[in-house]
Amino acid sequence: GCVVVMDENYEVIDEIYYLDENGDEILIDPHGFIWIDDDHYIVAAYKQETVEVPEEIGADNNLADLAVLYIEEVKDGEVLWEFCSADYEQFLYESNSVTWDESMDKCYDYVHFNSMNYDTDGNILVSCRHLNAILKISTEDGSLIWQLGGDYDDFGLTDDQLFSYQHSIILTEDGGYMLFDNADTANWAGEADTSSVICLTVDEENMTVTDFMRYSVLDYFSNYMGAIRELDAENSVYLWSVGGNYSIDSDTPPEWSMIEYTETDGDVSYHFCFRFDEGTRRLYCSNKCE
């Protein structure tokens, strides 16, 4: 799709697309968009490209059609920098969505970008669900700075700290990171786990995790979708938005929910369920309208 820009009267004044190398507009990925100023933004898109696959991965042939992720910052119609997932061979090795020895007869979404936010230093954090990883990307030149999680994790996460098929990477008030861990790897193995919220702090100089907490609510497992927002840092109050949920100890059919949860006393103060065939993919907090 595209990002539609409106004025204070809700009149459409612009439509934003991804600009390719020829300056042509292509459809963007709706999972993440950063508005910086008028005619200044960061946007993501996929391009179907034929990529050479290393022989040791075990593909029947060495070529595969992949949905290659591109992220770029644009100002006044000029591309300032660009990130391309095909520049990093490690993503081919650690993708959880591709079995390379099967017939490569379709285009694979091998990274699956689903969230993007600024870090405290002005670089961006990107969640890639099919890599089980958070990427930090430079806003100077679009290069990969580090990877948190996945097979090429740079921070030495322990088994208890790993996450899978995650969503919604955001910053907390204290400068840490928060994400929604779908924990779907266990589900694909036939062992449904409990989805959770992870809060962690990293030391980027020593590349270590200095603080880690995992919160789970109502034993819910959400195999896809999900979002998290910090409402009150002092009292650890969080708002979840989760989809495809079910309690692992219940025969209750899946539901889509929003849950307000206070970690300090384990209180669920708000729980709203959508109808079975409806849901929310995103979760935003705004000031109350007077």
Side-chain angles (χ1 to χ4, degrees):
C2 68
V3 172
V4 177
V5 182
M6 295 183 288
D7 62 17
E8 62 273 14
N9 297 314
Y10 301 102
E11 297 290 336
V12 176
I13 59 176
D14 196 9
E15 292 184 350
I16 296 175
Y17 296 84
Y18 191 94
L19 299 177
D20 68 9
E21 62 273 11
N22 299 316
D24 296 328
E25 297 177 339
I26 61 176
L27 298 179
I28 68 171
D29 186 286
H31 282 98
F33 175 85
I34 297 177
W35 175 268
I36 302 172
D37 204 345
D38 290 346
D39 297 318
H40 190 189
Y41 51 85
I42 299 175
V43 65
Y46 289 103
K47 300 180 188 178
Q48 181 173 337
E49 298 180 0
T50 301
V51 176
E52 185 173 351
V53 179
E55 291 184 6
E56 57 267 31
I57 290 181
D60 290 338
N61 59 69
N62 294 333
L63 298 176
D65 288 332
L66 301 178
V68 176
L69 173 64
Y70 285 84
I71 301 174
E72 66 182 11
E73 181 176 346
V74 178
K75 184 176 183 181
D76 298 326
E78 178 185 356
V79 177
L80 303 183
W81 56 263
E82 183 178 69
F83 167 85
C84 173
S85 62
D87 291 338
Y88 299 91
E89 192 176 79
Q90 67 193 57
F91 300 156
L92 298 174
Y93 285 89
E94 63 182 336
S95 174
N96 59 36
S97 70
V98 183
T99 302
W100 295 107
D101 57 358
E102 65 187 19
S103 176
M104 305 300 290
D105 57 356
K106 61 181 179 180
C107 181
Y108 285 91
D109 178 12
Y110 77 115
V111 296
H112 194 86
F113 152 79
N114 62 22
S115 179
M116 175 169 62
N117 274 299
Y118 271 119
D119 202 348
T120 54
D121 59 5
N123 296 305
I124 61 170
L125 302 166
V126 173
S127 169
C128 290
R129 173 176 167 87
H130 289 170
L131 301 180
N132 298 331
I134 305 299
L135 310 180
K136 184 165 185 174
I137 297 173
S138 168
T139 52
E140 291 292 326
D141 58 12
S143 61
L144 177 64
I145 298 174
W146 50 246
Q147 175 174 319
L148 175 68
D151 293 342
Y152 288 80
D153 168 51
D154 290 314
F155 289 88
L157 294 181
T158 65
D159 289 345
D160 292 338
Q161 294 172 338
L162 291 172
F163 47 87
S164 61
Y165 291 84
Q166 77 290 335
H167 284 80
S168 194
I169 177 65
I170 65 171
L171 287 177
T172 59
E173 284 189 13
D174 61 4
Y177 302 142
M178 180 183 293
L179 60 90
F180 183 85
D181 178 14
N182 292 79
D184 203 21
T185 296
N187 180 55
W188 289 115
E191 302 172 359
D193 208 339
T194 301
S195 300
S196 59
V197 173
I198 290 177
C199 298
L200 73 162
T201 305
V202 300
D203 178 346
E204 295 186 73
E205 181 177 351
N206 297 303
M207 300 301 286
T208 58
V209 174
T210 58
D211 191 32
F212 182 93
M213 293 292 293
R214 184 187 294 273
Y215 307 125
S216 180
V217 180
L218 302 180
D219 285 335
Y220 268 176
F221 169 69
S222 179
N223 61 327
Y224 61 92
M225 298 194 295
I228 181 70
R229 288 294 181 268
E230 183 180 48
L231 301 184
D232 182 346
E234 183 177 354
N235 295 302
S236 299
V237 181
Y238 309 114
L239 184 64
W240 290 37
S241 170
V242 289
N245 314 311
Y246 59 86
S247 174
I248 59 176
D249 296 321
S250 171
D251 294 328
T252 303
E255 62 185 25
W256 285 258
S257 304
M258 285 194 295
I259 305 167
E260 184 176 322
Y261 175 69
T262 304
E263 172 60 27
T264 50
D265 57 14
D267 180 42
V268 175
S269 55
Y270 175 82
H271 184 188
F272 176 79
C273 295
F274 293 89
R275 293 187 338 188
F276 176 74
D277 58 348
E278 295 180 349
T280 176
R281 289 177 178 267
R282 294 292 171 267
L283 180 63
Y284 300 99
C285 295
S286 61
N287 293 329
K288 181 180 179 181
C289 296
E290 299 297 338

